[in-house]
Amino acid sequence: MKNSSDILSIAKETLLSQSNAIANLANLLNNSFINAVNFILNSKGRVIVTGIGKSANIASKIVATLNSTGTPAVFMHAADAIHGDLGNVQQNDTVICISKSGNTPEIKVLVPLIKNSNNKIIAITGNPDSFLGKNADFMLNSYVEKEVCPNNLAPTSSTTAQLVLGDALAVCLLELRGFTSSDFAKYHPGGALGKRLYLRVSDLVKNNELPKVSISDPLTKVIIEISEKRLGVTAVVDKNDSIVGIITDGDIRRMLAKTTKIDELTANDIMSKNPKTIHIDAMAIDALDALENNSITQILAIDDSNKYVGVVHLHDLIKEGIF
């Protein structure tokens, strides 16, 4: 059995070996990559990504990345393609074919069929002199010196190289299309990632109470307001609902530690002036940043007229899965 240091040594060697293989890909990029990107960018069709074995798994991930970054893509298993699924390839579609050797039987059958339909082929292969490499319209070299597998057999470094080239294609297309975070949000409406991109302060405060007191209200009313609205805070506002201060439950505790003579105290005596605020149209992630940067758990929301409209609590962000 390997000891702890041996396990870490193997893991580090694996990571370093793969990182070196990826770094070398930069030396293999050429005009064929540029031409492939421009062809996809100007194409009226989709991108069909195909492969066999572990390359098929990589193809599936590349499809997911392309779709999520604005390039319509479809996965097609190379073995299924020659048994009926070739119908997935429509006019104007571009086919990315992935194969380490470029000489697998399925690839040798599939490539001519694609070319007979006048669809362009982008090869991702570690063997430019292979059948796939020579018959592709664009050849992206994914060559790695060896697999990180000690027997140089299990696809490891080679599949990592394929994946990284697919990411490079997707990112180039993303930037050339001017794909923004707003566009990204359209394709990721669910989960924490989507919420980070579309959820706004207005979405958070609409279900919260609106605790507020005036500057002259007695401390007893302040305590009741904080307790009843259950947000651990109240805004102090003027007659126009403009914020003049803030009082938290922490402020109440600190005040009681100093004195128990509260009968004559008002909101003005205990409030903190110039509290942190955020616009109601700001992104929820911006509210989180404001809370973290100022080491606070609540922030007051305002509208275009600087009027008080709600409270964002850290618990709101945790509930939405943003924190």
Side-chain angles (χ1 to χ4, degrees):
M1 179 180 292
K2 299 286 187 181
N3 59 37
S4 299
S5 61
D6 289 334
I7 292 172
L8 286 178
S9 178
I10 294 169
K12 290 178 181 178
E13 183 179 348
T14 299
L15 295 175
L16 290 172
S17 179
Q18 296 223 44
S19 66
N20 289 334
I22 292 171
N24 187 58
L25 292 178
N27 300 320
L28 303 179
L29 291 176
N30 54 29
N31 286 338
S32 189
F33 183 90
I34 297 172
N35 294 335
V37 170
N38 283 325
F39 187 83
I40 295 174
L41 185 66
N42 296 312
S43 172
K44 296 180 180 179
R46 307 162 301 169
V47 175
I48 310 296
V49 191
T50 187
I52 192 85
K54 300 298 186 293
S55 294
N57 295 330
I58 298 300
S60 182
K61 191 276 177 185
I62 291 174
V63 164
T65 301
L66 289 170
N67 277 325
S68 70
T69 53
T71 299
V74 176
F75 170 70
M76 179 179 69
H77 196 284
D80 293 335
I82 60 178
H83 291 286
D85 282 4
L86 193 59
N88 282 322
V89 183
Q90 302 295 311
Q91 185 180 11
N92 296 322
D93 286 348
T94 304
V95 179
I96 297 177
C97 193
I98 307 174
S99 172
K100 177 186 177 181
S101 71
N103 288 314
T104 57
E106 292 85 358
I107 295 300
K108 286 186 174 181
V109 173
L110 178 59
V111 167
L113 296 174
I114 295 171
K115 293 186 74 69
N116 286 342
S117 299
N118 295 318
N119 295 93
K120 297 295 184 181
I121 298 176
I122 299 172
I124 297 180
T125 179
N127 184 4
D129 295 324
S130 64
F131 180 84
L132 174 60
K134 289 183 176 180
N135 284 279
D137 298 283
F138 311 98
M139 213 294 298
L140 311 187
N141 194 345
S142 61
Y143 172 78
V144 295
E145 184 176 351
K146 62 178 182 179
E147 302 288 2
V148 75
C149 162
N151 300 313
N152 197 30
L153 293 174
T156 45
S157 297
S158 61
T159 48
T160 300
Q162 294 167 355
L163 182 62
V164 170
L165 279 175
D167 285 343
L169 281 172
V171 172
C172 286
L173 290 164
L174 178 156
E175 294 208 14
L176 290 170
R177 294 186 196 280
F179 197 80
T180 66
S181 59
S182 297
D183 296 317
F184 197 79
K186 295 176 183 178
Y187 296 94
H188 299 78
L193 177 59
K195 289 181 179 180
R196 282 174 171 264
L197 294 168
Y198 73 80
L199 200 68
R200 296 185 180 275
V201 168
S202 57
D203 299 312
L204 298 173
V205 304
K206 65 183 181 182
N207 295 321
N208 286 343
E209 296 280 359
L210 190 66
K212 62 180 180 178
V213 295
S214 68
I215 196 169
S216 59
D217 281 337
L219 189 56
T220 51
K221 182 175 180 179
V222 172
I223 294 173
I224 292 172
E225 186 72 0
I226 293 177
S227 178
E228 288 185 347
K229 300 301 172 62
R230 296 181 298 179
L231 289 170
V233 66
T234 183
V236 183
V237 300
D238 62 18
K239 61 182 180 180
N240 296 316
D241 268 348
S242 294
I243 298 169
V244 295
I246 187 172
I247 301 174
T248 69
D249 51 8
D251 293 327
I252 300 292
R253 289 193 299 271
R254 285 186 289 272
M255 179 273 302
L256 291 175
K258 294 178 180 179
T259 180
T260 57
K261 298 178 180 179
I262 65 173
D263 293 343
E264 297 181 0
L265 294 179
T266 65
N268 184 56
D269 298 317
I270 191 174
M271 72 179 186
S272 298
K273 297 180 180 180
N274 302 315
K276 301 297 180 183
T277 60
I278 190 166
H279 194 276
I280 194 162
D281 289 333
M283 304 304 295
I285 189 64
D286 294 329
L288 176 60
D289 289 340
L291 295 179
E292 290 182 331
N293 292 337
N294 293 283
S295 299
I296 55 180
T297 55
Q298 307 103 331
I299 190 168
L300 305 181
I302 57 174
D303 61 15
D304 290 335
S305 301
N306 288 321
K307 290 186 177 181
Y308 169 57
V309 292
V311 177
V312 177
H313 196 289
L314 180 62
H315 292 164
D316 300 325
L317 297 161
I318 294 174
K319 181 179 178 181
E320 295 293 344
I322 294 176
F323 183 74

